[in-house]
Amino acid sequence: MVETTHAEIHAGEKGLRAGSIGLLGNVIIGLSAVAPAYSLAATLGYVVAAVHMKAPAMFVLAFIPMLLVAFAYRELSRDTPDCGTTFTWGTKAFGPWIGWIGGWGLAVSAIIVLANVAEIAAVYLLKFLGLDSLAETLWIKVLLGCIFIAVMTWISIRGIVISERMQAVLMFVQFAVLILASVIALVKVGLDTAGPQAISPEISWLWPGGLSQSEIAAAVILCIFIYWGWDACLAIGEETKDPEKTPGRAAVITCLILVATYVLVAYAVESFAGFGDTGIGLNNPDNADDVLTILGEPVAGAVMAAALLLTVSISALSSTQSTILPTARGSLSMAVYKALPERFASIHPRYMTPAFGTAVMGISALVFYLVLSFLSQNTLGDSIASLGLAVAFYYGITAYSCVWYFRRTLFESARNFFMRGLFPLLGAVAMTWAFVKSAVDMIKPDYGSTSIGGIGGVFILGVGMLVLGIPLMLACYAHNSSFFKGETLDATTEVKVPDVY
């Protein structure tokens, strides 16, 4: 390491509870932030619409850049296990301005997704309870969604251990139902008892041959959303046992579990439902919004139908809580290095969590949710479609940071060349392509459900939220310029790991 020229900072100095989470707990938090059941329910139908039976191939194809970026996260986490993640690593690689705006990109993605998953949790819970009419009533679902955000914010303030335990239960239920439903569906297809609409699964579904670049691009951009969130396990690295190794391993394991689950579910849904344009067929436009839960009763009766509704609600609910965790800790790190007002660096004396930052995160999501909900439900829907921009933005910054930060050691070994250089660079280029392609498509007025002045509402929301970070960054500079002058964090600053294993 380069000799330290600034004060060394570690988890204990931030006030976090070091050594609280093991590898399993870290993986659980990463998976819960992704919300696989909700992500599949919301996205699978549109992926099928874009590429027909090649959805499994798209899940594998989109997994590759995610894995490449995960390698970048792993290497940076080993060197600098800091809860600021993109903010800290971007600053050490490219300076304070890039680091700050990278941290803002992460916050934007969290605020956008929190508003949406809270409503999904509310709607699917009401449907599970048989209250379909209330699920369509705006003020009811918004009220319940706000309650969910408030409760999950409170749980996050209470501490990382209680958060991990609750997420473990929610993850077990979620994956058990998804795997059980998929296996039953595939068994019925294999036994020829699935119905006339079913078709036999084919290995060719894993290969994207025959698709145009535009079809592949549309599907991959959609798939970025269903993988997003695995990096939550890196944001709690300082609270993890063996923080130099565990968070990076957890990130890679999380990505592998996700791709295996998504491919299994995609095969089960496609083969059981078939591609007809009536009934449960995947080409029926009425099914595009959710091709997952409609399979519940045909696969295994009313019990499975109810279980899938509850599972999607649980999935969204767990994501509500686990999305708050990394963003609040990101603001803590930014405040410790004077990039945000000092108040964000405050730690609850009993729970040892960034209580103020967590509360601000919850309140920001509440305000965003309320404004978009009562402005237009279409606008709220377009906001989740814009999420890919923020995700590709800060993932790209992280991957580029890895290559540049380790540039002097890339040729010391073959491992360094691939893990710190080539793989992260390929991941960064993929994210850059996804960002540019998404922006070009989203600017069209017919993209999404809204438009303003001939510009797509999805583009306005996505780019607008990112651009909003510029005046906020300048306000932070005016408040305290020490970080932006490189006085609190630069490439030579060593972030010590806590002595708890």
Side-chain angles (χ1 to χ4, degrees):
M1 280 297 296
V2 180
E3 182 181 352
T4 303
T5 58
H6 299 300
E8 294 177 337
I9 298 172
H10 55 86
E13 291 178 359
K14 289 192 181 79
L16 297 171
R17 191 185 298 277
S20 301
I21 303 296
L23 178 62
L24 178 60
N26 208 286
V27 170
I28 287 170
I29 287 176
L31 289 172
S32 63
V34 176
Y38 156 64
S39 298
L40 282 168
T43 310
L44 180 55
Y46 295 104
V47 175
V48 169
V51 296
H52 200 52
M53 63 183 61
K54 299 289 186 175
M58 294 302 100
F59 290 146
V60 174
L61 192 62
F63 161 75
I64 294 172
M66 288 297 172
L67 183 63
L68 296 175
V69 172
F71 286 138
Y73 270 83
R74 186 182 67 177
E75 294 302 310
L76 289 165
S77 179
R78 282 180 171 178
D79 181 88
T80 308
D82 188 277
C83 61
T85 59
T86 300
F87 156 75
T88 304
W89 303 329
T91 300
K92 288 172 74 68
F94 297 121
W97 301 95
I98 297 297
W100 199 100
I101 205 68
W104 172 248
L106 191 155
V108 164
S109 62
I111 291 171
I112 290 174
V113 83
L114 275 171
N116 284 273
V117 294
E119 175 157 307
I120 289 296
V123 169
Y124 277 83
L125 179 60
L126 291 170
K127 288 183 177 180
F128 167 74
L129 296 173
L131 304 173
D132 290 31
S133 60
L134 293 183
E136 301 299 325
T137 305
L138 179 61
W139 74 269
I140 291 290
K141 62 183 180 183
V142 169
L143 176 61
L144 188 53
C146 289
I147 292 172
F148 283 154
I149 292 176
V151 170
M152 290 304 176
T153 302
W154 175 78
I155 291 174
S156 298
I157 291 173
R158 286 294 305 271
I160 189 69
V161 175
I162 187 174
S163 298
E164 178 212 1
R165 290 171 181 170
M166 187 191 73
Q167 293 294 354
V169 174
L170 296 179
M171 275 301 98
F172 175 80
V173 172
Q174 188 173 166
F175 277 90
V177 173
L178 282 176
I179 293 172
L180 180 62
S182 298
V183 169
I184 293 174
L186 288 171
V187 168
K188 284 193 169 185
V189 171
L191 296 176
D192 200 24
T193 59
Q197 83 290 337
I199 58 176
S200 298
E202 299 178 11
I203 194 68
S204 62
W205 294 355
L206 287 170
W207 181 251
L211 298 175
S212 68
Q213 288 190 6
S214 295
E215 289 172 330
I216 292 175
V220 169
I221 290 167
L222 285 167
C223 291
I224 285 178
F225 167 68
I226 71 167
Y227 281 110
W228 173 74
W230 54 264
D231 52 303
C233 52
L234 277 300
I236 59 169
E238 292 169 281
E239 298 158 273
T240 302
K241 299 171 185 176
D242 197 358
E244 288 184 326
K245 298 178 180 179
T246 300
R249 290 173 179 170
V252 175
I253 292 172
T254 298
C255 287
L256 292 172
I257 291 173
L258 288 172
V259 70
T261 304
Y262 290 158
V263 169
L264 171 66
V265 174
Y267 260 92
V269 170
E270 288 190 358
S271 58
F272 189 93
F275 294 91
D277 54 11
T278 59
I280 64 172
L282 297 180
N283 286 331
N284 184 344
D286 294 335
N287 298 336
D289 288 339
D290 180 1
V291 299
L292 183 63
T293 60
I294 62 167
L295 293 178
E297 189 163 351
V299 168
V303 173
M304 182 58 73
L308 280 170
L309 288 171
L310 182 61
T311 297
V312 174
S313 178
I314 286 175
S315 177
L317 189 60
S318 65
S319 181
T320 304
Q321 192 259 333
S322 55
T323 301
I324 294 172
L325 287 176
T327 314
R329 281 153 178 76
S331 67
L332 165 66
S333 181
M334 294 178 77
V336 166
Y337 294 114
K338 313 301 182 185
L340 284 179
E342 292 79 0
R343 187 73 177 86
F344 284 88
S346 61
I347 294 293
H348 194 285
R350 179 181 175 186
Y351 303 130
M352 299 177 71
T353 59
F356 180 78
T358 302
V360 169
M361 185 65 218
I363 292 170
S364 299
L366 272 174
V367 172
F368 183 80
Y369 178 38
L370 288 170
V371 169
L372 291 194
S373 292
F374 290 106
L375 181 65
S376 167
Q377 282 289 288
N378 288 334
T379 304
L380 182 65
D382 280 353
S383 71
I384 198 66
S386 73
L387 180 64
L389 288 180
V391 174
F393 179 75
Y394 83 85
Y395 276 178
I397 287 178
T398 304
Y400 282 123
S401 297
C402 179
V403 179
W404 189 249
Y405 181 68
F406 292 117
R407 65 190 183 280
R408 295 185 178 88
T409 63
L410 292 182
F411 297 100
E412 290 183 354
S413 67
R415 182 195 178 281
N416 282 3
F417 175 75
F418 286 105
M419 295 298 181
R420 296 181 171 185
L422 182 60
F423 291 163
L425 179 60
L426 291 175
V429 171
M431 290 301 156
T432 302
W433 170 82
F435 182 90
V436 174
K437 177 63 178 175
S438 296
V440 170
D441 289 342
M442 291 173 181
I443 202 169
K444 300 173 183 176
D446 59 347
Y447 192 102
S449 304
T450 60
S451 64
I452 300 176
I455 299 176
V458 177
F459 178 88
I460 293 174
L461 281 167
V463 174
M465 288 290 285
L466 289 174
V467 171
L468 179 61
I470 296 176
L472 292 176
M473 181 169 58
L474 294 175
C476 290
Y477 174 83
H479 174 75
N480 188 339
S481 62
S482 58
F483 164 76
F484 296 94
K485 294 178 179 178
E487 297 173 357
T488 61
L489 177 64
D490 64 14
T492 65
T493 306
E494 183 174 355
V495 182
K496 290 176 62 178
V497 299
D499 299 323
V500 180
Y501 297 95

